[in-house]
Amino acid sequence: MKAKLQKIMDDALARINASEQMETLNEIKVSFLGKKGELTSVLKSMKDVAPEDRPMVGQLVNDARNVIESKLEEKRAKFEKAALELKLQNETIDVTLPAKKPMVGHRHPNTKVLEEVKKIFVGMGYEVVEGPEVEYDYYNFEALNIPANHPAKDEQDTFYINSNILLRTQTSGVQVHEMEKGKLPIRMIAPGRVFRSDEVDATHSPSFHQIEGLVIDKNVTFADLKGTLEQFAMELFGPETKVKFRPHHFQFTEPSAEVDVSCFKCGGKGCRFCKGEGWIEILGCGMVHPNVLKMSGIDPEEYSGFAFGVGLERIALLKYEIDDMRLLYENDYRFLKQF
Ligand code: DAH
C-alpha cells in the first residue's frame, strides 16, 4: 500500500513538473484528487486494509494529498506570475515617447478676418458697434435713400417678416441707428450677419456677413475715404497692395465707388486667381448721400461723411484662397484645422 501511494505521488509530481499550462494542472488535480481520482480510490479501498493499519494508511493518503496540493498550488502561482509578467511586458509604456497632442479648437476663417479688420479700424480710432438682424424696412431701405418700389430693393431679395419688418439685407442700416443717436463725430464699424433669399452655391449663401463703416465729421472728403481704405487694404493684404477706385452707384452714397485691390497672388500681372484682371474687387463705398444725413437729422451743410461695406466671407475666401463659400459654413474640422 505504501509503495502504491508512493507511486501515485511520484506520478502526480512528475506530471505537475512537466505541465506547461494552467489547464493541465486542473486535469491533474481531477485525475488524482477528484471523486474518481487515484488517491480517492485508495481511500475507498480502505475497507481492504487491516483495521490496525488504517490510521497509518489514512495518514499516508492525507500526506500524499497535501504534498500534491501544495505542489499544484506552487505551480499555479508560477503560471500566474509568468502570465502577469508577460502581460506587463506587452503593456510597457514608453515614457520617452512624445505625448499625443490634445485637440485644440481653431478659429473660423471668418472670425480671423473679422478680428483682423476690427484691429485695423480700432487702430485708426473707430468704435465697433452692432445693430439688429431683424430690422424695420425704414432702416434697411427707406432711410438709406431706397424708397418703396425702388428697383434697388429687388437687387437684394429680401426675407420679409411682414410688410414692415425684415431680415436685414445689409449692415448699412446700422449707419442710420448710429446717426440717430445724435452724437457727432462718428467713426464706427459695424460687423454682422445679413440675409438675402439667394440659392446656395460656391459664391452665394442666404446668410453671410458684412462689415459696415461710417465716418461723419466736419470737412470729411473723398480724400479721407481714399486714404482710409488704402491704409486698410495695405494692412489687410500687405504693404505692396495697390488700390483702385471705380465709379459705381449706391443709393445711399454720392459719389459712390467700388474698390479693387491689386491681386496679391500675382502682384497685378494677371493670373488665374484674379481671372487675368490683375485686380480683385473687395468693397463698396462712397460719400454719405445728403438725403441720408438729412433723414437722420444731420445737417449736410455742416457735416459730411463717408461709408463703406465689406463682405466678410469675400475677404476670407480671397485671403485664404478658398474657392467655395460653402466650406465656410459646413464646419468640417478637416477644413477648419488648416487655419
Ligand atoms: N450695403 C452695400 C451692399 O450690401 C455695400 C455698401 C456699399 C455699403 C457702399 C456702404 C457703401 O456703406 O457706402 O451691397
Side-chain angles (χ1 to χ4, degrees), residues 17 42 48 119 124 141-142 216 220 251 255 261 263 326:
N17 271 334
V42 173
D48 304 331
K119 202 171 140 209
M124 294 192 222
F141 294 123
E142 195 90 19
I216 308 270
V220 177
Q251 275 296 110
V261 290
C263 176
R326 285 167 287 200

Side-chain angles (χ1 to χ4, degrees), residues 131-190:
E133 290 175 3
V134 180
E135 187 58 287
Y136 287 108
D137 183 288
Y138 176 77
Y139 289 94
N140 197 74
F141 294 123
E142 195 90 19
L144 291 167
N145 204 28
I146 309 172
N149 304 322
H150 194 279
K153 266 186 151 173
D154 296 339
E155 282 165 26
Q156 307 195 345
D157 289 316
T158 311
F159 290 116
Y160 280 94
I161 289 171
N162 60 35
S163 59
N164 193 27
I165 298 173
L166 44 79
L167 298 182
R168 66 177 175 192
T169 61
Q170 50 187 353
T171 45
S172 301
V174 188
Q175 292 187 29
V176 181
H177 286 289
E178 285 305 299
M179 288 189 285
E180 279 184 349
K181 286 181 185 165
K183 258 175 59 190
L184 295 170
I186 296 171
R187 209 171 266 110
M188 67 102 185
I189 57 165

Side-chain angles (χ1 to χ4, degrees), residues 8 94 147 161 187 300 332:
I8 291 173
D94 181 353
I161 289 171
R187 209 171 266 110
D332 185 328

Side-chain angles (χ1 to χ4, degrees), residues 193-211:
R193 193 183 272 277
V194 300
F195 306 85
R196 293 186 193 178
S197 57
D198 276 331
E199 293 286 336
V200 175
D201 66 23
T203 53
H204 292 88
S205 161
S207 164
F208 56 102
H209 300 80
Q210 291 185 331
I211 305 164

Side-chain angles (χ1 to χ4, degrees), residues 156 169-172 175 196 210 212-213 250 252-253 257 283-287 306-310:
Q156 307 195 345
T169 61
Q170 50 187 353
T171 45
S172 301
Q175 292 187 29
R196 293 186 193 178
Q210 291 185 331
E212 194 73 21
F250 295 105
F252 36 91
T253 46
L283 58 84
C285 64
M287 300 306 291
F306 64 78
F308 53 89
V310 188

Side-chain angles (χ1 to χ4, degrees), residues 2 13 16 18 23 29 52 64 66 112-113 121 123 127 140 150 200 204 221 244 249 257 297 306 311 313 326 329:
K2 214 173 166 181
L13 297 189
I16 291 169
E23 293 82 67
K29 188 173 179 185
E52 64 274 22
N66 287 342
K112 291 189 77 166
V113 169
F121 281 105
E127 197 186 343
N140 197 74
H150 194 279
V200 175
H204 292 88
T221 69
K244 184 165 80 175
H249 173 80
F306 64 78
E313 280 80 356
R326 285 167 287 200
Y329 302 120

